[in-house]
Amino acid sequence: MAQRKLTSTNTMNRDFLNNTCGMMYAIDMLNGRWALLILYKLENRTLRFSELKKRVPKITDRMLTLQLQELEKNGLVIRSVYAEVPPRVEYHLSESALNLIPIWKQLEKWGDAHKGTMENAMQSAV
Amino acid sequence: MAQRKLTSTNTMNRDFLNNTCGMMYAIDMLNGRWALLILYKLENRTLRFSELKKRVPKITDRMLTLQLQELEKNGLVIRSVYAEVPPRVEYHLSESALNLIPIWKQLEKWGDAHKGTMENAMQSAV
DNA sequence: CGGCATCCGGAATGATACTG
DNA sequence: CAGTATCATTCCGGATGCCG
């Protein structure tokens, strides 16, 4: 199998992450370009694959699949498969992930608050 | 110059980030393997390059340099150069970055709390 | 519908050597 | 001390096509 691994622990091993702090552990769990956005979109609802895809702009099937697998592996997202004729697969947040919501809220607030501040700096980036 | 860009806005453009939510903007600012760890180590102190390097295990000069440049560019880290004979360069958090601290605290707590929960899931990852 | 397999380019990171 | 330059490698993520 080619790229099962989307992110998670390349340079640092699990011990290091555990010993350093829960934060780095968390960061490792949440790494990946789409992870946060997906969790965000699943904030308070259950969505199926195609619905999620619609709500995450520009993501490809492949990336959505890989990222969802990663999130499921990390225990943040629950995947439910229904054996129906057009197959139906739904995703929703786990308990752990639900506890992240308030943190996202703050991070979002921080982002909104500092967007302006950073604009100058970002000019040179583009 | 080769790789000035460490991260920031590959797939999604700035507009998208701005329109979607401050969170994705924040994520983009904080992207990169070492960003969070560096900010964490600078939490309540000023450190010079070599000191930071000691505290960030396994990071290379190059990566530390690039990541610090990125953080400085994003307005999260302040770089101070002192024209001394052995050159001295110190880094500390900006106002914006200081506002992130409480969020890290929560994220760290979340990580600690859910480490155990995720262990089973992580088994299959290794 | 909800994936997975393969190929591939570009970005991120590492290793090593060198400098003001 | 605090980097920079260059080369090599690994990994992310997109495009396409196939399948139950």
Side-chain angles (χ1 to χ4, degrees):
Chain A
M1 192 163 305
Q3 300 166 258
R4 240 319 175 44
K5 176 152 142 302
L6 225 205
T7 164
S8 287
T9 315
N10 307 318
T11 311
M12 330 192 193
N13 60 33
R14 194 61 57 188
D15 284 342
F16 170 68
L17 290 171
N18 280 320
N19 293 335
T20 304
C21 60
M23 192 192 70
M24 283 310 292
Y25 191 91
I27 294 307
D28 205 53
M29 294 293 97
L30 304 168
N31 212 339
R33 175 139 214 91
W34 309 99
L36 281 306
L37 191 48
I38 289 175
L39 292 179
Y40 191 75
K41 294 300 181 182
L42 285 176
E43 179 173 334
N44 41 19
R45 50 179 164 260
T46 295
L47 292 175
R48 47 197 301 185
F49 191 87
S50 56
E51 303 211 311
L52 204 43
K53 185 172 155 69
K54 274 179 221 155
R55 291 161 194 262
V56 181
K58 301 190 182 185
I59 199 171
T60 59
D61 287 359
R62 175 187 152 73
M63 280 302 110
L64 186 52
T65 301
L66 289 173
Q67 190 73 71
L68 280 170
Q69 286 172 353
E70 177 82 9
L71 290 170
E72 189 192 5
K73 194 189 72 187
N74 291 348
L76 297 173
V77 159
I78 312 281
R79 182 186 137 124
S80 312
V81 186
Y82 303 90
E84 302 177 354
V85 184
R88 182 162 58 100
V89 182
E90 292 184 344
Y91 298 88
H92 68 278
L93 298 185
S94 70
E95 282 297 319
S96 305
L98 287 174
N99 294 330
L100 280 171
I101 299 297
I103 303 182
W104 291 169
K105 294 290 187 192
Q106 286 184 258
L107 196 55
E108 184 182 12
K109 270 180 60 182
W110 179 88
D112 281 327
H114 295 280
K115 253 194 261 183
T117 312
M118 293 183 184
E119 251 160 38
N120 293 328
M122 292 316 298
Q123 290 299 330
S124 55
V126 186
Chain B
M1 192 160 303
Q3 300 165 258
R4 238 323 174 41
K5 175 152 145 300
L6 226 204
T7 165
S8 287
T9 314
N10 307 318
T11 311
M12 330 192 192
N13 59 35
R14 194 63 55 187
D15 284 344
F16 170 68
L17 290 171
N18 280 319
N19 293 335
T20 304
C21 60
M23 192 191 69
M24 282 310 292
Y25 191 90
I27 295 306
D28 205 52
M29 293 293 97
L30 303 168
N31 212 338
R33 175 141 213 90
W34 309 99
L36 281 306
L37 191 47
I38 290 174
L39 293 179
Y40 191 74
K41 294 301 181 180
L42 286 176
E43 180 172 333
N44 42 21
R45 52 179 164 260
T46 296
L47 292 175
R48 47 198 301 184
F49 190 87
S50 57
E51 304 212 310
L52 204 42
K53 186 172 153 70
K54 274 179 220 154
R55 290 159 195 264
V56 181
K58 300 189 182 187
I59 199 171
T60 59
D61 287 359
R62 176 187 151 73
M63 278 304 109
L64 186 53
T65 300
L66 287 174
Q67 190 72 73
L68 280 170
Q69 286 173 353
E70 178 82 8
L71 290 170
E72 189 192 6
K73 194 188 71 189
N74 291 348
L76 296 174
V77 159
I78 313 280
R79 181 187 139 130
S80 312
V81 186
Y82 302 91
E84 301 177 356
V85 184
R88 183 160 59 100
V89 181
E90 293 184 343
Y91 297 89
H92 68 278
L93 298 185
S94 71
E95 281 298 319
S96 305
L98 287 174
N99 293 329
L100 280 171
I101 299 296
I103 303 183
W104 292 170
K105 294 291 185 191
Q106 285 185 259
L107 196 55
E108 183 181 13
K109 270 180 59 182
W110 179 88
D112 280 327
H114 294 281
K115 255 192 260 182
T117 312
M118 294 183 182
E119 252 160 35
N120 294 328
M122 293 316 299
Q123 291 297 331
S124 56
V126 186

